[in-house]
Amino acid sequence: MNSHSLRSALLFAAGRPMTTSSFARAVAVPRSSRAFYATGRRQKLKWMGRAAVLTGAVGLGYVAYILREDREYSHNGVELDPRPSPLALHPERGGTKNLPVVSHQLDEHAVEQDKPKLVIIGSGWGAVALLKSLDKSKYNVTVVSENNYFLFTPLLPSATVGTLELRSLLEPVRKIVSRISGHFLEGRAVDVDIGNKLVEVQQVDGEGENFYIPYDHLVVAVGSTSIKHGVQGLEHTYQLKSVVDARNIRKKIYQNLERACLPTTTPEERKRLLSMVVIGGGPTGAEVAAEINDMIQEDLPKWFPKSLKEDVKVTIIQSRDHILNTYDSEISNYAEQRFAREKINVITNARVERIEADKVVYRSKLSADPDHPEIHEVPQGFCLWATGIDMTPFARQLSEQIGSQTHQRVLQTDQYLRLNGVEQGSIFALGDCASIQNPHLKDRIIHIFENADTDHDGFLDMDEFRAVVRRLSRRHPLCKEHLNYVFEHFDEFDQDHNGKLDVDELRAMLNYVDKKMTHLPATAQVASQQGVYIASYLNNLPLQGNDTSKTDDVVGAFNYRHLGSLAYIGNAAVGEFNVPGSNSGVKMLGGLWALYLWRSVYWSEQVSLRTRLNLSIDWTRLMLAGRDLSSI
């Protein structure tokens, strides 16, 4: 119906003549309604403007916060004397090996010479966390590392197939050290003259003469290497610990893909080249397998012959019952189910016997006849070894020199992260290279019992036992969870049910706690918290007159707080997060939101604005153009 017909119908229905003007008045929106709608639009625009201003203010505030944290973008250091000390140019000799002693640095200011000398060996998570939290006015800091960069290791698997560029994971150590007006020397620590407090350092290339660096406090943060488990043929595998490892893995994978495309490659050789084997089902192994599979599903069909996809096979060999076995069982099961859908072959309860140039030989732990286990073979064109940790040569040499160090894989420390067997507590150790020694509470049962039995009746009542739990929890925070458990289950250990504990009952209780004590996981989260703790300890030490006993009381023992764990499993992520006051925590099982949460967490953990920008660019490039498939 057109406008003329509508007007005629209205005239007819009204039963009276209606002019054009009266018709317009009849169908027009009342003025009050027009005012209401206009006011609504203005209110909406006003709130949109406020939201835009608020968003901009939050964004600018966050950028300002990042820039404030990234102090290398502004010069706050002391103006250096352009003329270095003669001892910096021609160091004197000393120590047991009569080597040059670097008592003065080329970039050292006169005001630093009177400060205690703090030497940090390593440039990983623990060392960087320490540097970020240390009071620069209290120490003359020197960092010694084979690498002049900090590597963001949690995202290293993404660099093995070109998802991320390696430059996006690196931050120059000199920029980080400059925040506390410290010094950096690129070199390899090879020995420690504990008696004279000297660290022996050699050039990374092994050339030139070794030299000593004096210290008042030494922090060992040298990381770890992969454990071998006595398996033959590890020369045919790759590890993932460094930038060089990631670059070599990427080169090997793409070279295999290119060789598989050659017309002279036989079908059997092609299948071998495209068989990717990952030994170890922890976070590193699972994430590398997921990254390889993502590349196969998303990039390989676009740029390589489509027939190749049918021959590619990714296999994970795990010695435990499940992959990601340190996570909740629900997370492990979800990851295994997702890998099964993605055609990633997960082999559990398997022990690798040997690795050859073209295959991996393993035996099943579930064989019906243990004396004659089932032996299986998997062809391999690429094999990653990602199982457990072991000492670096420097950590092993230090352990053997001290003598009282009995652990075969890590350096043992006390609850204050001081290296056991070293007088005066001048050496700290943290991160993957160290572990807090089990306190063995049962061995001190008589001392603990006598101090707790305040009424000297030969028994501990509930109040006395509560005081014991509080005191031991403060002194040994890593035992706190297990001590709380035995307190809540007091009746189970009170065998005669008299409401009190005698010496034997307390011994059984402490024996339970000792058995439940485990080593902290070798993760970036643990190393970071330990670095912050040592910085706090060193910051407080001068305030207590360099009295370690007083500092121990003020700072307290190291207490690890597990915030959660994350793992990438292929365009999705899984994780678990601890909630304060809750024993269950929160689980994260896949989904697009989990992927972006995983990215957001690691983006926020970057140490500089530069790496944050690089990560953002890499993830945007991945979405728009895919991975870089060059084998460089």
Side-chain angles (χ1 to χ4, degrees):
M1 181 181 294
N2 56 32
S3 59
H4 179 74
S5 300
L6 176 62
R7 184 162 64 88
S8 300
L10 289 172
L11 289 171
F12 177 79
R16 57 186 175 83
M18 180 178 288
T19 64
T20 303
S21 59
S22 60
F23 171 77
R25 288 193 300 272
V27 300
V29 178
R31 180 176 299 175
S32 60
S33 298
R34 291 201 306 272
F36 173 79
Y37 290 131
T39 302
R41 285 195 300 270
R42 285 196 297 270
Q43 290 291 336
K44 185 181 293 184
L45 290 174
K46 184 184 295 184
W47 281 109
M48 290 176 63
R50 291 174 178 174
V53 171
L54 179 61
T55 302
V58 172
L60 289 174
Y62 188 66
V63 171
Y65 170 77
I66 294 175
L67 291 175
R68 180 180 177 274
E69 291 296 308
D70 297 340
R71 299 173 188 171
E72 68 267 19
Y73 292 102
S74 60
H75 181 71
N76 296 325
V78 179
E79 193 66 30
L80 300 178
D81 190 339
R83 297 167 298 178
S85 167
L87 290 176
L89 300 173
H90 305 286
E92 297 178 342
R93 291 181 173 270
T96 56
K97 298 181 182 179
N98 196 32
L99 297 175
V101 179
V102 184
S103 59
H104 294 70
Q105 301 280 356
L106 290 173
D107 55 350
E108 188 173 82
H109 192 271
V111 298
E112 297 181 272
Q113 296 173 8
D114 296 331
K115 298 179 183 178
K117 296 182 182 299
L118 171 63
V119 177
I120 303 171
I121 304 176
S123 58
W125 282 94
V128 169
L130 193 162
L131 291 169
K132 292 173 67 176
S133 303
L134 189 69
D135 185 346
K136 68 178 182 180
S137 66
K138 290 183 170 63
Y139 294 95
N140 183 356
V141 182
T142 300
V143 176
V144 179
S145 176
E146 300 178 40
N147 305 310
N148 69 344
Y149 53 81
F150 162 74
L151 173 63
F152 195 87
T153 50
L155 290 177
L156 196 55
S158 297
T160 58
V161 291
T163 304
L164 297 177
E165 293 300 326
L166 285 170
R167 289 289 179 187
S168 303
L169 310 181
L170 306 178
E171 181 67 16
V173 175
R174 288 190 176 275
K175 286 188 175 183
I176 301 173
V177 172
S178 68
R179 301 175 182 178
I180 58 170
S181 302
H183 317 285
F184 174 74
L185 295 175
E186 187 178 61
R188 180 182 296 111
V190 295
D191 196 3
V192 180
D193 185 346
I194 297 177
N196 295 311
K197 289 190 174 182
L198 299 170
V199 178
E200 183 181 349
V201 180
Q202 71 173 185
Q203 295 183 28
V204 175
D205 56 12
E207 298 181 357
E209 185 180 14
N210 291 7
F211 55 90
Y212 282 131
I213 301 177
Y215 68 87
D216 295 298
H217 303 282
L218 175 64
V219 177
V220 180
V222 294
S224 62
T225 185
S226 296
I227 192 170
K228 298 180 179 179
H229 291 296
V231 176
Q232 298 178 354
L234 290 183
E235 64 272 14
H236 303 301
T237 66
Y238 291 78
Q239 298 182 13
L240 187 57
K241 293 284 187 181
S242 66
V243 171
V244 176
D245 293 337
R247 186 182 293 117
N248 290 339
I249 290 173
R250 175 174 172 176
K251 183 176 182 180
K252 177 65 175 178
I253 289 174
Y254 285 119
Q255 282 183 342
N256 282 6
L257 289 173
E258 296 297 346
R259 284 182 59 188
C261 295
L262 298 178
T264 54
T265 303
T266 63
E268 294 77 14
E269 178 66 5
R270 182 175 295 109
K271 288 185 177 181
R272 184 193 70 80
L273 289 170
L274 300 179
S275 177
M276 317 288 184
V277 181
V278 176
I279 301 175
T284 300
E287 290 184 343
V288 170
E291 289 285 355
I292 294 174
N293 185 69
D294 285 351
M295 181 270 294
I296 293 169
Q297 301 298 328
E298 298 169 4
D299 297 276
L300 190 108
K302 294 181 181 179
W303 313 112
F304 287 86
K306 290 180 172 53
S307 59
L308 250 60
K309 185 177 179 181
E310 302 300 322
D311 292 330
V312 178
K313 186 176 182 180
V314 180
T315 302
I316 299 176
I317 301 177
Q318 166 71 327
S319 62
R320 303 293 184 89
D321 296 340
H322 298 279
I323 61 173
L324 299 178
N325 60 289
T326 57
Y327 292 67
D328 185 86
S329 59
E330 186 178 357
I331 293 176
S332 298
N333 292 332
Y334 177 85
E336 290 175 356
Q337 293 169 7
R338 184 177 182 88
F339 281 174
R341 292 195 300 268
E342 296 291 334
K343 302 298 191 301
I344 298 177
N345 184 27
V346 178
I347 302 171
T348 58
N349 291 302
R351 180 176 178 82
V352 174
E353 291 290 309
R354 66 183 185 276
I355 302 168
E356 300 180 7
D358 59 349
K359 62 184 177 183
V360 176
V361 180
Y362 69 93
R363 62 177 173 86
S364 174
K365 291 170 136 184
L366 302 179
S367 300
D369 185 1
D371 296 330
H372 299 86
E374 300 175 11
I375 304 298
H376 303 273
E377 297 180 355
V378 178
Q380 66 98 356
F382 162 77
C383 182
L384 175 70
W385 182 263
T387 61
I389 62 172
D390 201 359
M391 284 186 180
T392 63
F394 173 78
R396 188 170 299 280
Q397 192 281 334
L398 183 58
S399 175
E400 293 173 353
Q401 178 183 353
I402 294 174
S404 60
Q405 293 281 333
T406 57
H407 204 284
Q408 298 298 314
R409 298 182 185 177
V410 290
L411 296 169
Q412 292 179 314
T413 71
D414 63 10
Q415 62 267 32
Y416 304 98
L417 305 185
R418 294 179 300 226
L419 198 61
N420 288 342
V422 179
E423 296 180 0
Q424 303 173 348
S426 59
I427 302 181
F428 296 84
L430 75 162
D432 296 1
C433 70
S435 179
I436 298 174
Q437 189 173 19
N438 190 319
H440 297 296
L441 301 177
K442 186 185 68 171
D443 296 343
R444 296 185 282 119
I445 177 67
I446 301 300
H447 177 73
I448 293 173
F449 190 88
E450 290 178 350
N451 287 342
D453 186 15
T454 55
D455 56 8
H456 306 290
D457 63 348
F459 294 93
L460 300 184
D461 59 26
M462 182 59 75
D463 291 335
E464 291 172 332
F465 181 63
R466 182 183 291 108
V468 169
V469 170
R470 289 176 179 172
R471 184 165 57 252
L472 292 178
S473 296
R474 286 195 301 268
R475 186 167 181 80
H476 307 285
L478 298 183
C479 300
K480 184 176 181 179
E481 177 183 352
H482 308 302
L483 287 168
N484 288 337
Y485 175 86
V486 297
F487 179 78
E488 294 172 359
H489 296 77
F490 180 90
D491 294 339
E492 296 180 13
F493 295 92
D494 182 16
Q495 297 178 358
D496 53 12
H497 304 291
N498 64 350
K500 298 180 180 181
L501 295 179
D502 58 25
V503 174
D504 292 333
E505 290 169 338
L506 182 62
R507 180 181 288 109
M509 187 175 287
L510 297 182
N511 184 48
Y512 170 86
V513 174
D514 286 341
K515 289 182 178 179
K516 288 295 182 178
M517 279 290 294
T518 58
H519 297 295
L520 293 175
T523 62
Q525 185 178 166
V526 172
S528 293
Q529 292 188 27
Q530 290 178 334
V532 172
Y533 171 83
I534 292 180
S536 175
Y537 192 98
L538 293 173
N539 290 341
N540 279 277
L541 188 59
L543 302 178
Q544 306 303 322
N546 292 315
D547 188 325
T548 55
S549 298
K550 292 181 179 179
T551 308
D552 292 349
D553 294 335
V554 171
V555 180
F558 172 71
N559 184 19
Y560 171 62
R561 294 176 176 84
H562 183 65
L563 304 178
S565 303
L566 292 168
Y568 178 78
I569 57 172
N571 287 324
V574 293
E576 50 190 359
F577 305 94
N578 280 3
V579 178
S582 172
N583 295 326
S584 58
V586 177
K587 301 183 186 68
M588 181 178 72
L589 300 174
L592 188 62
W593 72 273
L595 172 63
Y596 284 102
L597 177 61
W598 173 78
R599 288 183 177 180
S600 299
V601 169
Y602 286 148
W603 189 89
S604 66
E605 290 295 320
Q606 297 298 309
V607 297
S608 73
L609 176 62
R610 185 189 65 83
T611 53
R612 287 187 178 94
L613 292 175
N614 283 344
L615 280 181
S616 301
I617 292 171
D618 284 351
W619 281 325
T620 303
R621 172 186 53 80
L622 175 67
M623 181 177 62
L624 298 177
R627 293 170 178 80
D628 181 0
L629 306 180
S630 56
S631 57
I632 57 173

